[in-house]
Amino acid sequence: MIGSTLFYAQRLSAIFLLGYTVWLSSFFLFNQPLEFDAWSVFTDQILFLIITSLVSLIIVIHSFIGLWTIGTDYFTSRTLGFVSPAIGKYANIIRGAYSLLFVFWGCVVIFILLFTIWS
Amino acid sequence: MSINHNRARPVFINLLQIKLPISAISSITHRLAGIYIFFVTLPLSLILLYFSTKSYNDFMFISALLKDSIFFSTFVAFSFLVFAYHILTGVRHLLQDMHIGESLEASRVSSYIVFFLWFVLVAAVIWRILL
């Protein structure tokens, strides 16, 4: 994948997630104190289910690009070598383990999110 | 040109030792906040969503926990404040990507604005928890 695609995917997903956050925040702001009835009506509506499912996919894109960028920026033999040359030697293994960790964690979180809202 | 010319060059970008400008601190804390959100705020909001929509009793249990447990409410407030921080710095980055406020001076000023807005938000949340 070319870099500019990742760049635009990161920014577009950010804008979408910003809009979703504003939407949820305004619901909480206008429904103070929060009651169970209003909250369950809000989360049972089909619009919430569809948009939140879409958001789970966008979270995957946004966080994957972000975490991958952090990994390739900081978990390199040079950057980790600043901390300790001994750690720097294992940079590739550390970065691989870190990547596996966030991919695994992302899968778990998205599965639980989709399961929670659709069940 | 010698083969080892890279080793002789005085490269000094050790993030642990150089003094970072305010815009760099804003950028790096945006990344740290992103990691925190992915590993803490996101699952936490899932837990809250799961129990608050499960049943009326679960909803009341969560809201009682938020009222009674200063530890839990502080943890939840902190996690969402980190999220708010990521959003504020993120909007600043988005504006810069659209070539708004790109200059060195504007970048410095906007970093301070973002920090200020976030501290206002933190103060508001602390006030809300304590009252």
Side-chain angles (χ1 to χ4, degrees):
Chain A
M1 205 183 293
I2 53 169
S4 65
T5 311
L6 289 174
F7 179 92
Y8 285 112
Q10 179 77 328
R11 272 72 185 172
L12 276 174
S13 58
I15 292 168
F16 195 96
L17 293 172
L18 177 66
Y20 182 75
T21 307
V22 169
W23 183 47
L24 280 191
S25 305
S26 58
F27 171 81
F28 289 129
L29 273 179
F30 291 120
N31 286 276
Q32 284 294 329
L34 188 63
E35 299 288 341
F36 176 71
D37 288 340
W39 178 232
S40 55
V41 165
F42 182 78
T43 53
D44 282 345
Q45 60 177 329
I46 194 78
L47 186 69
F48 176 84
L49 297 178
I50 291 171
I51 291 189
T52 306
S53 304
L54 203 61
V55 157
S56 71
L57 183 76
I58 290 167
I59 287 173
V60 170
I61 297 169
H62 188 82
S63 50
F64 183 84
I65 299 172
L67 292 164
W68 173 81
T69 310
I70 289 172
T72 50
D73 274 0
Y74 301 127
F75 296 155
T76 61
S77 55
R78 195 184 65 177
T79 319
L80 286 178
F82 290 145
V83 182
S84 144
I87 300 172
K89 272 195 290 187
Y90 299 102
N92 287 341
I93 298 166
I94 293 171
R95 195 170 66 254
Y98 160 81
S99 305
L100 273 178
L101 174 73
F102 74 69
V103 167
F104 168 75
W105 188 244
C107 291
V108 170
V109 163
I110 295 314
F111 176 78
I112 295 173
L113 173 59
L114 290 173
F115 178 80
T116 302
I117 62 165
W118 287 102
S119 66
Chain B
M1 197 183 285
S2 78
I3 290 167
N4 285 333
H5 74 284
N6 270 329
R7 281 188 199 159
R9 228 159 64 185
V11 177
F12 193 73
I13 49 166
N14 188 341
L15 290 174
L16 301 173
Q17 285 179 39
I18 53 175
K19 189 179 178 298
L20 292 167
I22 186 77
S23 49
I25 291 170
S26 174
S27 169
I28 206 161
T29 46
H30 175 79
R31 290 180 156 197
L32 287 173
I35 294 179
Y36 182 88
I37 292 159
F38 187 72
F39 288 105
V40 182
T41 311
L42 189 58
L44 174 68
S45 30
L46 271 183
I47 291 166
L48 291 176
L49 177 71
Y50 177 76
F51 284 107
S52 65
T53 54
K54 202 177 171 213
S55 72
Y56 178 75
N57 285 342
D58 290 299
F59 180 89
M60 292 317 280
F61 174 74
I62 290 283
S63 47
L65 199 60
L66 282 170
K67 274 195 195 78
D68 301 337
S69 167
I70 186 79
F71 174 77
F72 186 65
S73 56
T74 305
F75 173 61
V76 170
F78 176 77
S79 298
F80 283 99
L81 280 171
V82 170
F83 181 55
Y85 181 80
H86 188 79
I87 294 227
L88 285 173
T89 45
V91 168
R92 175 176 168 273
H93 283 303
L94 280 175
L95 290 175
Q96 289 181 326
D97 289 337
M98 288 183 256
H99 307 292
I100 301 166
E102 262 188 327
S103 73
L104 193 62
E105 194 47 39
S107 165
R108 200 169 10 235
V109 170
S110 63
S111 303
Y112 280 115
I113 292 173
V114 162
F115 278 127
F116 175 75
L117 288 176
W118 189 65
F119 281 124
V120 169
L121 207 59
V122 171
V125 169
I126 291 173
W127 188 65
R128 178 86 161 69
I129 288 179
L130 292 180
L131 273 179

